[in-house]
Amino acid sequence: MNVKKIILFILIAVSYNTFAQKDGYWDKERATTKEIIVSARDRIVLKTEDLPVGTTEIVYRITLLDENQEMTNSLVSVLKSIPDPTGISQGSAGAVFLMSKISGDDTCSYALFTSNENAKKYISDGKTDKACYAQEEPLSKDAKRLSLDKSSCLGQNISTLWFGFHSKNWLLNQKIVLEVVPWVDSKLNRGWNQDNKNEIISLCKTSTMAQKMANSDDFCVCILEKIMKQYRYTEFQKLLPIEKNKVYKDFGNSCYKDADISKNVYSDLRTQASTLIKLQKYNEAIQKLNTIINDGKATAIDYGSIGYCYILTKQYAKAIKFLKEGEKLDDTELLVKLNLAHVYLVSDDYSEAKAIYKKYQTQNVTESLSWKEKTKQDFIVFEKAGLPSKDFERVLKLYN
């Protein structure tokens, strides 16, 4: 029974480690390994190699050696058995990590800085108030994992670190070995940090396509994701302005055709057009509705709405043209039929108008609005707009 429990525990632990692993790698090519002899009671600074783009965590180890001692194995070789930084927090991995090196009897304190200026200041006065981390208690060896994205001092934009050491040997020189290995996030390695993403989103928001939408967030995120997949940030930045414009246009067209985004775009345009009609801004409403029609996404209702706007701007020929198109889409849409009757009436074709008014007078144009009531409402609007009104009463008498 105990054996079964142990096996179950091991399986769970292995499973957890498998799913918890981060998507990235230890960058052994840009690891830092430096040895330096420090004079007694002296302070020195060691600069790391440049951290690669996408570094989210570092593991460092400091070892003090007697003069003739050599390292038994490198930090990089130890990390080969640890698939990602989460493993370092586990007991067995941590034990191997911390105890795999010999060290001498000498001790030092150290501090970690993110700028050369602060590191130089440490050399002169020994103060650690500008340090991101300070180990004040002297020791002969130390090892730590630091998450750059969880530190208020570090951050993922840091490309270099400075380690300041203070020898605590009062008489003899001592040898300090510094090893730093960066963990690189595979996605962030492409250079797309938060600021770079916001740059693309901001540019997208000013585009003609985005400005058609009441909410362009999904559209702009779609473009961003396509650009991130196609290019590293540095590659994208090297493109000529004309090339960038083409990228935006091509990806924009692709995203614009996405079913969900497209549905929201045209829904937004219809809402905007409806609001503009209520505000009597008919020319602006026509522009919104024309966008829907030109993109091939119009319904019969859209044709009815643009026909209504053309009537109120006294563009009767255009009104008839679009209302006829609406009839082709849906010959049962009575809002299109009513507007067609209106345009015939105001353009002095009473006989054509009369036939339509009488034919549908007993029906509803919507679930709750009758043909007759809608006619009365429209006539009030038309009179205020200065449209020809001599036949309005004749039409209303037809309904009695």
Side-chain angles (χ1 to χ4, degrees):
M1 185 66 178
N2 288 336
V3 173
K4 289 183 178 179
K5 286 183 178 180
I6 292 171
I7 293 173
L8 179 61
F9 176 78
I10 292 172
L11 288 174
I12 292 172
V14 170
S15 175
Y16 173 79
N17 288 337
T18 301
F19 289 106
Q21 286 181 12
K22 296 186 177 183
D23 185 16
Y25 57 94
W26 296 111
D27 194 327
K28 300 161 188 174
E29 301 300 320
R30 281 173 282 192
T32 297
T33 302
K34 293 185 177 181
E35 291 187 15
I36 192 168
I37 302 297
V38 187
S39 301
R41 294 175 292 174
D42 203 2
R43 283 189 294 271
I44 57 98
V45 167
L46 288 178
K47 177 186 175 184
T48 67
E49 303 295 337
D50 289 343
L51 300 175
V53 174
T55 299
T56 58
E57 308 189 49
I58 62 166
V59 172
Y60 69 84
R61 181 168 59 187
I62 297 162
T63 311
L64 275 69
L65 300 175
D66 291 338
E67 187 175 353
N68 296 320
Q69 282 184 307
E70 298 293 335
M71 305 294 285
T72 57
N73 55 16
S74 69
L75 177 58
V76 166
S77 66
V78 174
L79 291 177
K80 285 181 180 178
S81 62
I82 304 173
D84 69 54
T86 58
I88 295 170
S89 301
Q90 297 163 16
S92 58
V96 172
F97 173 58
L98 289 170
M99 303 305 294
S100 60
K101 295 291 183 286
I102 59 174
S103 64
D105 296 327
D106 293 329
T107 61
C108 75
S109 60
Y110 71 90
L112 179 59
F113 301 92
T114 57
S115 75
N116 190 32
E117 291 74 20
N118 290 336
K120 285 180 178 179
K121 188 173 182 299
Y122 170 78
I123 292 292
S124 63
D125 61 20
K127 293 181 179 179
T128 59
D129 55 309
K130 300 292 185 182
C132 279
Y133 175 79
Q135 173 61 46
E136 304 287 0
E137 185 70 26
L139 40 73
S140 62
K141 61 183 177 182
D142 198 13
K144 279 187 173 53
R145 163 197 173 194
L146 291 180
S147 295
L148 272 60
D149 57 349
K150 294 179 181 177
S151 169
S152 58
C153 177
L154 296 171
Q156 291 180 9
N157 292 328
I158 297 297
S159 59
T160 311
L161 296 171
W162 287 262
F163 283 80
F165 297 95
H166 187 187
S167 169
K168 297 302 180 179
N169 191 318
W170 284 76
L171 298 173
L172 303 174
N173 296 343
Q174 59 188 36
K175 181 162 64 173
I176 297 178
V177 180
L178 171 67
E179 300 167 281
V180 181
V181 182
W183 172 266
V184 181
D185 184 289
S186 296
K187 290 183 179 178
L188 294 178
N189 180 241
R190 296 182 65 80
W192 291 104
N193 59 32
Q194 200 65 33
D195 291 339
N196 298 338
K197 291 179 184 178
N198 285 333
E199 177 186 330
I200 302 299
I201 294 292
S202 297
L203 287 171
C204 170
K205 291 282 187 178
T206 64
S207 68
T208 303
M209 289 184 184
Q211 290 178 352
K212 292 178 181 179
M213 311 171 196
N215 186 340
S216 59
D217 288 353
D218 288 348
F219 174 71
C220 289
V221 168
C222 176
I223 291 179
L224 172 63
E225 288 176 347
K226 289 182 181 297
I227 292 176
M228 287 171 58
K229 185 176 181 180
Q230 181 80 19
Y231 300 95
R232 290 177 179 271
Y233 179 71
T234 53
E235 294 172 345
F236 184 73
Q237 287 300 90
K238 289 178 182 177
L239 295 178
L240 297 172
I242 191 171
E243 293 175 315
K244 285 185 180 179
N245 288 337
K246 186 175 187 305
V247 169
Y248 274 108
K249 182 179 179 181
D250 291 346
F251 287 153
N253 286 333
S254 176
C255 290
Y256 200 68
K257 293 174 183 176
D258 179 270
D260 290 334
I261 293 175
S262 176
K263 181 180 178 181
N264 290 335
V265 168
Y266 298 114
S267 177
D268 289 343
L269 286 171
R270 291 182 180 101
T271 300
Q272 293 169 33
S274 177
T275 301
L276 290 167
I277 290 170
K278 290 176 183 177
L279 295 172
Q280 300 178 20
K281 296 180 179 180
Y282 304 114
N283 284 324
E284 293 179 41
I286 287 170
Q287 293 175 14
K288 303 292 183 184
L289 293 165
N290 259 325
T291 299
I292 300 173
I293 291 168
N294 292 337
D295 287 352
K297 303 294 183 180
T299 64
I301 294 289
D302 296 324
Y303 281 102
S305 297
I306 199 170
Y308 181 79
C309 292
Y310 277 128
I311 293 170
L312 283 157
T313 54
K314 300 181 181 180
Q315 301 179 75
Y316 305 138
K318 287 184 177 180
I320 292 172
K321 172 190 171 185
F322 281 97
L323 291 167
K324 288 288 188 182
E325 289 296 324
E327 274 190 318
K328 292 177 185 176
L329 282 180
D330 186 354
D331 194 46
T332 66
E333 181 49 66
L334 294 192
L335 286 171
V336 173
K337 299 287 189 183
L338 183 58
N339 285 329
L340 196 56
H342 290 336
V343 72
Y344 287 140
L345 186 68
V346 297
S347 59
D348 206 23
D349 192 347
Y350 178 76
S351 61
E352 284 284 350
K354 177 183 176 181
I356 300 172
Y357 283 127
K358 284 187 67 68
K359 183 175 182 180
Y360 301 105
Q361 64 176 315
T362 60
Q363 297 191 43
N364 279 8
V365 293
T366 68
E367 290 180 359
S368 58
L369 184 61
S370 71
W371 174 280
K372 293 179 182 179
E373 187 58 34
K374 178 60 173 159
T375 303
K376 293 175 184 178
Q377 291 176 4
D378 290 345
F379 284 173
I380 292 171
V381 175
F382 294 164
E383 280 190 291
K384 289 181 179 179
L387 269 62
S389 59
K390 61 183 178 66
D391 291 321
F392 288 177
E393 285 300 322
R394 292 177 66 187
V395 171
L396 295 177
K397 287 179 180 177
L398 292 174
Y399 298 156
N400 295 327

